[in-house]
Amino acid sequence: SKLLIEACGRCICFDQSNTYLAIGTTNGLSIYSLTENPTTYPLTLALSTYRKDSNEEFSDVKFSPNNSFLASGSRDNYIYIYQFIKSSDSSNYITQLKLLYKLKGHSSYITHIDWSVDSTLLRSTCGAYELLLWDITSGRLNGVSNISDIKWKSNHCIFDFNLMGIWPPFADGTDINGLDVSVDKTMNRELVVTADDSGYINLLNYPCIVQYAPRKMYSGHSSHVLSIRLYNPSRETLNAVSVGGNDCAVMLWQIISTIPNNMILDRNSGKYKQKTINRSDYDNSLY
């Protein structure tokens, strides 16, 4: 389905039911509804509601895991928290966005936001390299000390202890535009991919805390890469989709695991595990 929006789109997010689509633009925040079954084609998008609470463009937008809230970060240094209200009539796709909080604390434009899995906390990063934690129930900064114990629905904030090694030599906080973390089920390990200003897609192990961590770099975009996301088209397959800047290109990537010599396939689980070397496997003549 093709959709003509009223202004340049900057960020996009589906709700948890894949029925509503939030688009942050240079001129406000719009919610569109899929008026047909989202599993069939063609899809039909209809404008459900519109808000303009910021004079600047929105840079990130995300529905909460419980689908009750919508958070949107803006270039005006604020994060807007809305209550997402759907019609009780299943045939009526009109929704409402009720502004609950205007979160103030960042000293520069908002770059990324993540919800906790219980929809009570939000973390955010900004152009001043700040990482802040918010309590959504009160609309205030949260001073919790055990932030490492919090489970996040997504991992898109570029400043984090587990991501210290993603930065290449001589990089500043603007050289990486986006990242994502997911599990490579074939090798039973976590991976992180980053999109940078040099036009590269970088693949690293996660957690990534070693300075200048080893990585594999892939080119394809002819300009800076704005964002990247990982997804699983099948149970044992991990792919990525990246969005370019000036080249206006969307590229799909398949992540292919290289099997080390010390790994074997476990036929019961379908995953690779470390090979167990028995004494009988050695040539006795070597001793």
Side-chain angles (χ1 to χ4, degrees):
S1 178
K2 292 183 179 180
L3 177 67
L4 181 63
I5 58 178
E6 70 282 352
C8 295
R10 299 295 298 167
C11 49
I12 188 171
C13 181
F14 273 101
D15 78 324
Q16 306 305 322
S17 66
N18 291 328
T19 304
Y20 295 94
L21 180 67
I23 302 178
T25 72
T26 57
N27 193 38
L29 181 64
S30 300
I31 304 293
Y32 291 86
S33 62
L34 299 176
T35 57
E36 301 294 339
N37 189 333
T39 61
T40 61
Y41 297 92
L43 302 177
T44 303
L45 291 169
L47 181 62
S48 178
T49 189
Y50 171 80
R51 293 286 306 229
K52 183 175 172 58
D53 297 293
S54 173
N55 292 325
E56 300 287 340
E57 64 185 44
F58 286 102
S59 52
D60 199 3
V61 59
K62 283 186 175 68
F63 285 94
S64 63
N66 63 8
N67 231 28
S68 298
F69 306 102
L70 179 69
S72 187
S74 174
R75 300 280 296 189
D76 63 2
N77 304 2
Y78 294 102
I79 300 173
Y80 297 82
I81 305 296
Y82 300 95
Q83 182 181 4
F84 182 53
I85 306 173
K86 295 184 292 185
S87 172
S88 58
D89 183 3
S90 59
S91 62
N92 186 354
Y93 291 92
I94 301 300
T95 61
Q96 295 181 13
L97 286 179
K98 179 182 178 182
L99 182 63
L100 298 178
Y101 304 111
K102 183 178 177 181
L103 304 181
K104 178 182 178 180
H106 279 291
S107 54
S108 185
Y109 58 91
I110 309 302
T111 56
H112 303 88
I113 54 178
D114 287 317
W115 282 98
S116 63
V117 295
D118 60 3
S119 302
T120 62
L121 298 174
L122 189 80
R123 66 177 177 180
S124 56
T125 56
C126 74
Y129 315 156
E130 299 168 345
L131 173 65
L132 299 183
L133 186 67
W134 307 89
D135 185 349
I136 299 304
T137 58
S138 63
R140 298 178 180 273
L141 284 170
N142 190 304
V144 63
S145 58
N146 57 339
I147 188 173
S148 60
D149 296 332
I150 301 173
K151 304 298 182 183
W152 299 100
K153 178 65 175 178
S154 59
N155 287 281
H156 300 154
C157 288
I158 59 177
F159 303 118
D160 186 64
F161 175 80
N162 291 327
L163 297 170
M164 293 190 301
I166 66 174
W167 303 94
F170 312 111
D172 61 24
T174 64
D175 286 327
I176 293 180
N177 301 314
L179 61 81
D180 199 8
V181 177
S182 187
V183 177
D184 179 6
K185 296 182 179 180
T186 303
M187 298 295 295
N188 195 26
R189 63 181 177 183
E190 286 187 287
L191 299 173
V192 55
V193 289
T194 67
D196 65 30
D197 268 350
S198 299
Y200 288 103
I201 303 298
N202 304 275
L203 180 64
L204 309 94
N205 288 320
Y206 181 86
C208 182
I209 60 176
V210 180
Q211 187 178 29
Y212 310 144
R215 69 200 64 203
K216 292 187 177 181
M217 303 172 62
Y218 302 92
S219 61
H221 288 280
S222 60
S223 173
H224 61 288
V225 188
L226 287 175
S227 186
I228 189 166
R229 292 291 181 267
L230 293 167
Y231 68 100
N232 296 99
S234 64
R235 181 184 178 91
E236 301 297 336
T237 306
L238 183 61
N239 288 1
V241 56
S242 59
V243 179
N246 294 333
D247 61 6
C248 300
V250 177
M251 293 189 178
L252 300 179
W253 308 79
Q254 182 180 4
I255 298 177
I256 303 175
S257 297
T258 302
I259 312 302
N261 293 331
N262 64 337
M263 303 290 285
I264 60 173
L265 179 65
D266 184 352
R267 298 187 181 276
N268 295 325
S269 65
K271 298 179 180 179
Y272 286 88
K273 65 179 184 178
Q274 190 167 5
K275 183 190 301 184
T276 302
I277 301 177
N278 299 320
R279 186 78 174 183
S280 58
D281 293 335
Y282 291 96
D283 185 350
N284 292 330
S285 62
L286 297 178
Y287 295 89

